[in-house]
Amino acid sequence: MQDLFDLSGEAQAGTESLAEGALVLHGFAVKQATALLAAIAEVGAVAPFRRMVTPGGYEMSVAMTNCGTAGWVTDRKGYRYARLDPESGKPWPALPPPLLALADAAAVMAGYVGFVPDACLVNRYEPGARLSLHQDRDEADYRHPIVSVSLGLPATFQFGGLKRSDPVKKVPLRHGDVVVWGGPSRLVHHGVLTLKDGEHPATGRCRFNLTMRKAL
Ligand code: SIN
Ligand code: FE2
């Protein structure tokens, strides 16, 4: 019976194509979720979550931190990758091995071989937080894909097109789902709709997202 159960579990954990070069891997990170959440807690203990300010002067509703050689930051001076955490002046915590392994495996599933991220943005959404439509374009080389892991409360991911005005798909993302986009979809506009209130057994009243990139 256990085997049958596992098989049906595998079948449900399907893949969904969003566009050329972009894939949702449903449930791909479920088995690693506990290890990933432990890694997030360790990162947060060294480089605490903070709400950064946009160049326009708005405080973001999503709290962020980073691990890896470089971390994504924003302040009045602009968006960029920084090797040092501006709050502490120290390097970001290293990218934990379970994240590197997951990034590689997910990228391969979407056809990107040899993906080695050097930056992981860790987003924490509390109910009411949202991330408006944007492109990830602060990275040096767009030939590398983006691997994005959802943990905790469900959210609606917006996946649009290369132009901001292009139609936007609404993609429900749940605990353990992974989205990979690259190649012709690398510069697609994407965002996250306002997080609904709820309680998740693994994270409580929040959603985490890990976005792994080759930034430098
Ligand atoms: C991001 O675009 O940085 C995050 C996407 C997400 O939270 O799913
Ligand atoms: Fe993004």
Side-chain angles (χ1 to χ4, degrees):
M1 276 317 273
Q2 186 61 40
D3 283 350
L4 279 173
F5 181 80
D6 284 347
L7 281 173
S8 65
E10 286 290 323
Q12 281 164 19
T15 64
E16 178 190 345
S17 169
L18 294 178
E20 210 190 328
L23 208 59
V24 187
L25 304 167
H26 290 287
F28 193 74
V30 163
K31 284 180 187 153
Q32 295 97 315
T34 307
L36 297 176
L37 288 167
I40 291 172
E42 279 179 43
V43 169
V46 176
F49 283 91
R50 78 293 303 261
R51 288 173 63 186
M52 294 192 263
V53 173
T54 65
Y58 293 100
E59 189 177 86
M60 299 186 77
S61 58
V62 180
M64 299 176 170
T65 185
N66 290 278
C67 53
T69 309
W72 186 85
V73 296
T74 174
D75 59 19
R76 292 304 300 238
K77 286 181 275 177
Y79 304 130
R80 64 193 174 278
Y81 281 94
R83 288 176 181 267
L84 304 180
D85 177 351
E87 292 291 316
S88 66
K90 292 193 221 146
W92 302 101
L95 243 159
L99 267 67
L100 287 169
L102 179 65
D104 177 66
V108 164
M109 290 288 290
Y112 305 101
V113 175
F115 177 55
V116 185
D118 57 12
C120 176
L121 174 66
V122 188
N123 292 322
R124 188 183 68 203
Y125 298 76
E126 273 159 18
R130 62 187 286 266
L131 194 62
S132 55
L133 219 53
H134 66 278
Q135 294 168 297
D136 288 7
R137 57 174 189 201
D138 301 316
E139 300 74 30
D141 185 344
Y142 299 147
R143 282 176 300 181
H144 303 287
I146 308 275
V147 174
S148 170
V149 184
S150 294
L151 296 165
L153 285 179
T156 303
F157 185 60
Q158 295 176 293
F159 195 83
L162 297 178
K163 286 186 298 199
R164 211 192 147 81
S165 56
D166 284 339
V168 174
K169 278 186 191 167
K170 288 185 182 176
V171 184
L173 292 182
R174 298 192 306 171
H175 182 67
D177 288 351
V178 177
V179 188
V180 183
W181 65 99
S185 291
R186 176 59 182 75
L187 289 173
V188 156
H189 287 78
H190 58 280
V192 178
L193 295 183
T194 306
L195 195 82
K196 291 198 183 119
D197 202 356
E199 184 85 27
H200 191 280
T203 61
R205 238 179 129 214
C206 78
R207 168 181 187 257
F208 291 103
N209 167 263
L210 301 163
T211 304
M212 285 175 278
R213 305 156 175 156
K214 173 87 180 78
L216 302 178

